[in-house]
Amino acid sequence: MPLEYRPVDCETGAPLKSIPGYVSEVIYSHTIKAGWTFQPYSTKDTRLLVPGQGVGGATALCSTISQGGALAFICRECSRPGYQPFAKAQRLQMTIRSNTKSLDPFASSTPPGQLPLLKIFMMNDEQKLYCGAEVVLAPTYATKQPGGDWYNVTIPLSAWRCNAGSVGSLAAVDRLDVQNTNI
């Protein structure tokens, strides 16, 4: 019996480009997106799909990241032509909050309602090549949503200076890490 199939977006049902393959330009939105995986390191209680913990009660990725720990988002072999999720991208956007309830600095390094102290770096995972800069989350890139603890973060990809790093260009980037910078 012959069988035909076509790849579609799981949320919209819209057809996806299937050759050479499909990698979403969105890394995470209510779930990890097509072509991406995540690898937590030095974290506690990392959960990929937590219903009700996202903005407006949506599903979220939740993690307690220890000092020097991170969430790595990796797209395997995505520096190859036809994939390259960062090649035409202009910015990184995310919504983030600290969910701590404690003012005790030994319980959490981020007080309630504050922007978490994180750095983000980009690289080519297979070849271990890096962009020319790391970006630390700062109020420059974040605006607090009214009436809550959520921050909208927008960082231009030019901030990573990938052309000046060993990775050479955004087209070669296939990994993004969000790392705890607190001591």
Side-chain angles (χ1 to χ4, degrees):
M1 162 161 77
L3 175 66
E4 291 185 30
Y5 70 94
R6 66 183 175 111
V8 297
D9 182 285
C10 293
E11 292 176 12
T12 67
L16 300 175
K17 181 178 155 189
S18 61
I19 297 173
Y22 178 75
V23 174
S24 178
E25 291 178 0
V26 175
I27 298 171
Y28 187 97
S29 178
H30 311 294
T31 188
I32 197 87
K33 293 300 186 178
W36 290 94
T37 185
F38 88 111
Q39 177 182 346
Y41 57 94
S42 294
T43 66
K44 303 174 197 169
D45 193 32
T46 297
R47 296 178 291 156
L48 181 62
L49 302 168
V50 184
Q53 292 301 307
V55 177
T59 301
L61 184 154
C62 298
S63 183
T64 301
I65 303 174
S66 301
Q67 176 185 345
L71 296 176
F73 296 93
I74 304 165
C75 182
R76 297 282 177 223
E77 299 184 22
C78 283
S79 60
R80 296 183 312 169
Y83 295 96
Q84 303 173 335
F86 293 103
K88 295 180 183 175
Q90 300 294 313
R91 68 188 82 53
L92 173 71
Q93 293 179 289
M94 66 177 148
T95 306
I96 191 169
R97 73 172 171 152
S98 169
N99 67 350
T100 187
K101 307 292 186 246
S102 176
L103 292 172
D104 179 357
F106 296 104
S108 173
S109 57
T110 305
Q114 298 297 310
L115 183 66
L117 293 174
L118 302 170
K119 76 175 175 181
I120 303 169
F121 61 91
M122 299 174 74
M123 65 180 288
N124 179 287
D125 189 59
E126 285 88 14
Q127 297 178 10
K128 306 297 183 226
L129 302 173
Y130 292 83
C131 287
E134 298 173 340
V135 174
V136 176
L137 279 192
T140 310
Y141 301 119
T143 55
K144 193 168 186 178
Q145 291 184 358
D149 293 337
W150 289 100
Y151 288 85
N152 294 325
V153 176
T154 301
I155 306 170
L157 293 184
S158 60
W160 279 275
R161 297 181 26 240
C162 292
N163 292 347
S166 60
V167 75
S169 74
L170 281 169
V173 171
D174 61 7
R175 177 175 169 167
L176 178 135
D177 285 37
V178 179
Q179 186 176 45
N180 183 347
T181 61
N182 278 329
I183 298 174

